[in-house]
Amino acid sequence: MSKTIVFGGWAVSPDVLKNVFGDDAIYIDINRIMPKLFDGDQLKNDWTNIAATEYLLTNENIPSTIAGWSTGAFFAYTAAREYHPERLILFSATPSFCRKDDFHMGTRPSVIDQMIGALRDDKDTVLRSFYKRSGLCYDSSAVPNYTTAELICGLMFLKQACLLPLAPLPIRPIFYHGTEDQIIPISASRYFSEQTNGERTDIDGGHAFFIDREVDIR
């Protein structure tokens, strides 16, 4: 396996991260796997094992670096927790996308429900809005042909997946987050870092802060 695997984010090709991690990394599109993680509308309890099987992660096949952006950070963190790479790098990460009783730095679940309804009516408009808020250029002809079902399952994942409670890993995670992120508040990343004894770098920019500036990976 390549020295680095990179999990991409919701509704965006993981290739968007190539300017950071280069051509030699393996880029994983988490959007395609999303329907396999659900029983109806319920996220399966063993979703982390399903993902590991899909992406051929085993104790004998561990990359030296695991990275993830946004939704992909959930997959990167759980993979690192299980397989202990040398480095874990998380971009625009949160331990819970939605607010919980003991976590108030997330989005209201009703916002996810509204997006799911809007996706069924007009996928293009939803994606165009998300790309704009993320700081990405939207070209409907260039966006991967994700199905509505894949995108809806991705939103349901964000509504249900939760990494709390957190604890330090054998390695110190490295966090990068845009100071103007409109999708995931920077306070969520700071909390994530503090609870896992991580190292954090705040960078001027939005959710996809790495698009228009170099990021020096430690």
Side-chain angles (χ1 to χ4, degrees), residues 87-142:
R87 290 197 305 171
L88 170 62
I89 302 171
L90 302 177
F91 282 19
S92 311
T94 178
S96 176
F97 190 77
C98 287
R99 298 176 186 176
K100 308 291 182 185
D101 289 341
D102 56 350
F103 183 80
H104 305 289
M105 291 164 277
T107 297
R108 296 188 306 276
S110 60
V111 173
I112 299 291
D113 293 334
Q114 291 168 5
M115 285 186 69
I116 290 173
L119 265 175
R120 293 191 174 106
D121 295 334
D122 189 346
K123 180 171 72 173
D124 189 71
T125 296
V126 173
L127 293 182
R128 188 179 300 276
S129 173
F130 172 73
Y131 272 59
K132 182 178 180 180
R133 293 182 65 218
S134 296
L136 295 165
C137 293
Y138 182 74
D139 179 353
S140 59
S141 64

Side-chain angles (χ1 to χ4, degrees), residues 34-189:
M34 285 297 180
K36 297 182 180 181
L37 305 184
F38 282 84
D39 276 329
D41 292 339
Q42 187 63 43
L43 184 65
K44 294 178 180 178
N45 291 332
D46 62 342
W47 69 266
T48 56
N49 295 332
I50 296 170
T53 299
E54 287 289 320
Y55 300 133
L56 305 179
L57 291 172
T58 67
N59 287 319
E60 292 73 38
N61 197 24
I62 301 172
S64 60
T65 298
I66 296 178
W69 170 54
S70 192
T71 306
F74 283 88
F75 291 80
Y77 179 81
T78 55
R81 189 168 57 187
E82 178 68 23
Y83 297 108
H84 311 307
E86 295 174 13
R87 290 197 305 171
L88 170 62
I89 302 171
L90 302 177
F91 282 19
S92 311
T94 178
S96 176
F97 190 77
C98 287
R99 298 176 186 176
K100 308 291 182 185
D101 289 341
D102 56 350
F103 183 80
H104 305 289
M105 291 164 277
T107 297
R108 296 188 306 276
S110 60
V111 173
I112 299 291
D113 293 334
Q114 291 168 5
M115 285 186 69
I116 290 173
L119 265 175
R120 293 191 174 106
D121 295 334
D122 189 346
K123 180 171 72 173
D124 189 71
T125 296
V126 173
L127 293 182
R128 188 179 300 276
S129 173
F130 172 73
Y131 272 59
K132 182 178 180 180
R133 293 182 65 218
S134 296
L136 295 165
C137 293
Y138 182 74
D139 179 353
S140 59
S141 64
V143 174
N145 61 336
Y146 301 125
T147 67
T148 299
E150 287 170 339
L151 294 173
I152 287 176
C153 284
L155 290 177
M156 292 194 303
F157 176 88
L158 288 173
K159 185 177 178 180
Q160 298 178 38
C162 182
L163 303 176
L164 301 168
L166 297 165
L169 299 176
I171 57 172
R172 296 188 70 186
I174 300 170
F175 292 81
Y176 295 87
H177 208 104
T179 55
E180 306 301 322
D181 195 329
Q182 297 183 42
I183 306 299
I184 294 174
I186 195 169
S187 58
S189 179

